[in-house]
Amino acid sequence: MTSAVFEAGPNQIVVVYSPPDTATEIDVSAAFGAIASDAADRFAGGWRMVSTAALPTRHAQAFMGREGSGYETKMSVVVVYSKL
């Protein structure tokens, strides 16, 4: 999973996590497990997770032209961390 870190003022960062697009349904447990692991590492450095948001960024192709069919194949998760 890739991540990008953005400074967001004193003692605050925004991290955007982007799991790879495998063209299959997102494995949410694996994605959030990796984010939780990273958050635990950051906590050891004094950072705590204060908010999250998940953003779908790609939807699988519609089946036979029907809207709402398929599943998300790519997402990003935004996490705001604050320094303790």
Side-chain angles (χ1 to χ4, degrees):
M1 176 176 328
T2 62
S3 63
V5 179
F6 303 94
E7 297 292 327
N11 299 319
Q12 187 167 276
I13 58 173
V14 174
V15 180
V16 179
Y17 298 95
S18 298
D21 186 352
T22 61
T24 60
E25 189 169 3
I26 297 167
D27 183 345
V28 176
S29 294
F32 278 93
I35 292 167
S37 177
D38 185 57
D41 291 343
R42 290 178 191 277
F43 187 79
W47 293 98
R48 67 182 178 96
M49 186 185 288
V50 295
S51 68
T52 65
L55 308 166
T57 57
R58 185 173 299 132
H59 188 273
Q61 184 174 353
F63 177 71
M64 298 181 71
R66 291 183 287 181
E67 287 189 40
S69 62
Y71 44 81
E72 299 301 326
T73 63
K74 185 160 176 55
M75 70 171 186
S76 292
V77 177
V78 179
V79 178
V80 177
Y81 290 92
S82 181
K83 192 79 162 184
L84 298 173

